[in-house]
Amino acid sequence: MRDLNARATFVAVVDAQSLTLAAERCGISKALASRQIQDLENSLGVKLLSRSIRKLGLTVAGERFYERFARIVADAGDAVRDVEELSRGSHGLIRISTAIAFGRLHLLPAVREFLRLNPSIQIDVTLSERFADLISGSADLVVRLAEEPQLSNVVARRLAPCRWIAVSAPPYL
């Protein structure tokens, strides 16, 4: 299988029932499409198409080749479309763990807006006072109030300063 383009051109010619139309669909010249078909027939040692000035038809060998190769060309097209969809935008699941108060006040409103702008992403937020274990895979992102990260092999970024204020009711003091 040296030239998959020639095989894809053959399938396009059969589908279009026209060398000219197939060449346009493939984005190549009619002369190149004709040469690819001829080279394919020469490499296989068999005629695939019966051609006349007004009509295109399949030989027995052409029918068998088309039946098998049309599926391959369709599968290849599907594979390309799948990868193109992936490259168009982000997708997948992000698991976030944060403290209850911080999550309710700051994270959930931001997540709501993020999801509106990125509908192909799913977010699972866990609100808990327990520190999530990044190593076990229970969370992809952890937002916590801390001086230093508890694990040495994680990437930590300071998001904002945190000021602590001690308050009490006068009768308690």
Side-chain angles (χ1 to χ4, degrees):
M1 271 211 247
R2 289 193 328 248
D3 190 2
L4 292 175
N5 289 328
R7 288 160 171 78
T9 300
F10 168 74
V11 170
V13 168
V14 174
D15 288 343
Q17 290 293 304
S18 163
L19 192 63
T20 304
L21 188 56
E24 286 175 17
R25 288 179 183 170
C26 291
I28 60 176
S29 69
K30 181 180 174 184
L32 178 58
S34 181
R35 191 171 79 232
Q36 284 181 342
I37 299 296
Q38 191 171 25
D39 290 347
L40 179 60
E41 289 175 331
N42 290 340
S43 71
L44 294 171
V46 66
K47 276 287 204 203
L48 298 172
L49 295 172
S50 300
R51 292 175 270 218
S52 69
I53 293 174
R54 297 188 187 273
K55 203 170 181 186
L56 244 170
L58 285 171
T59 64
V60 172
E63 283 181 38
R64 289 178 111 181
F65 190 78
Y66 174 79
E67 286 173 10
R68 303 279 306 268
F69 218 84
R71 288 190 305 260
I72 294 169
V73 169
D75 287 346
D78 290 344
V80 169
R81 280 186 290 283
D82 286 349
V83 171
E84 286 173 345
E85 279 184 32
L86 289 175
S87 69
R88 281 191 204 114
S90 302
H91 67 283
L93 172 67
I94 301 172
R95 294 172 311 227
I96 303 173
S97 174
T98 191
I100 297 169
F102 179 83
R104 284 188 178 154
L105 289 173
H106 302 289
L107 188 65
L108 292 179
V111 165
R112 202 172 297 116
E113 177 64 14
F114 180 84
L115 289 173
R116 189 183 67 74
L117 297 172
N118 301 281
S120 61
I121 295 179
Q122 297 173 321
I123 297 183
D124 176 21
V125 178
T126 301
L127 301 177
S128 171
E129 298 307 323
R130 208 175 104 243
F131 191 83
D133 182 11
L134 289 167
I135 304 304
S136 72
S138 64
D140 301 309
L141 173 69
V142 176
V143 181
R144 291 289 181 211
L145 297 172
E147 290 295 321
E148 293 292 324
Q150 293 180 0
L151 301 169
S152 61
N153 57 347
V154 297
V155 176
R157 299 276 191 277
R158 179 182 213 136
L159 298 178
C162 180
R163 287 177 265 153
W164 292 92
I165 300 171
V167 294
S168 171
Y172 179 76
L173 294 176

